Amino acid sequence: MVEKKEKLILDLALREKLSDLEYKELEKTLTQAFGSHSRDILSIFIIHNMDEQAGSDRAVQTTLYPTVFHQGITITRAVVEKRDFENAFFNETRLIITEEYVGDDEKLKDWTRDYIFTPNQNGDWELSGFSGVMNFMGEDFNMDYLALKDDELPLP
């Protein structure tokens, strides 16, 4: 589940710009994958400029969004948490998948991110939120900051 979502993010992050049509298609794809959180993902990479002319290309912002496709990033935990209450209406079930940086880089030491999923009405896991650090910004950080894993390059 995480790989599919992060493949979309990696595809976006490795681009320099998006045409208006590409942006609209990406917006639809991210909404299908991330639901209401697609705006959060887009805001990490695309800065909306009020002075932009309609139809102009959109620059992709330089940032590091660690993914499972990067060296040193791994899924360290996947757990289903159930909380039952006296009134069944308040019962909750969540799947929490934790990614961590397990390498030696001091700047990324102790980095973690949780993807939090809840079951939808069909019983499928649906992204309901995140916790931890989403991305790193600044002069030192970009998607090349961590090398991609050679044996796990994302599929086209």
Side-chain angles (χ1 to χ4, degrees):
M1 290 188 311
V2 170
E3 283 183 355
K4 287 180 183 178
K5 292 183 183 331
E6 290 189 351
K7 165 72 169 84
L8 295 171
I9 292 169
L10 189 60
D11 288 345
L12 168 60
L14 294 175
R15 302 189 61 166
E16 290 182 22
K17 60 184 176 177
L18 295 170
S19 70
D20 196 44
L21 179 62
E22 290 170 324
Y23 178 82
K24 288 176 182 172
E25 287 299 315
L26 178 66
E27 196 173 33
K28 288 179 192 173
T29 302
L30 289 178
T31 299
Q32 289 172 346
F34 290 94
S36 62
H37 300 286
S38 64
R39 291 181 191 264
D40 300 329
I41 299 298
L42 281 170
S43 70
I44 290 171
F45 295 100
I46 308 293
I47 295 177
H48 293 282
N49 184 348
M50 298 302 279
D51 297 330
E52 278 179 355
Q53 293 195 9
S56 64
D57 288 348
R58 299 168 194 247
V60 177
Q61 185 169 283
T62 302
T63 187
L64 169 63
Y65 188 103
T67 70
V68 293
F69 301 107
H70 286 100
Q71 291 181 10
I73 305 297
T74 189
I75 294 176
T76 57
R77 183 178 88 120
V79 63
V80 174
E81 293 180 349
K82 291 184 176 190
R83 295 175 61 190
D84 293 325
F85 295 92
E86 196 171 305
N87 182 337
F89 176 79
F90 296 108
N91 291 353
E92 31 175 56
T93 300
R94 303 183 323 164
L95 167 62
I96 301 170
I97 298 177
T98 303
E99 294 175 297
E100 290 186 54
Y101 177 70
V102 294
D104 297 328
D105 188 312
E106 284 298 316
K107 291 181 183 178
L108 301 178
K109 183 181 177 204
D110 299 326
W111 174 83
T112 65
R113 174 175 51 229
D114 290 335
Y115 283 86
I116 303 166
F117 298 89
T118 55
N120 62 20
Q121 291 180 342
N122 298 329
D124 297 324
W125 292 111
E126 190 172 90
L127 183 66
S128 66
F130 299 95
S131 72
V133 177
M134 294 290 288
N135 65 308
F136 296 88
M137 295 184 76
E139 200 172 291
D140 295 341
F141 297 110
N142 61 53
M143 284 305 279
D144 295 327
Y145 185 82
L146 289 175
L148 293 174
K149 297 174 184 174
D150 292 332
D151 60 339
E152 293 187 39
L153 292 177
L155 300 172

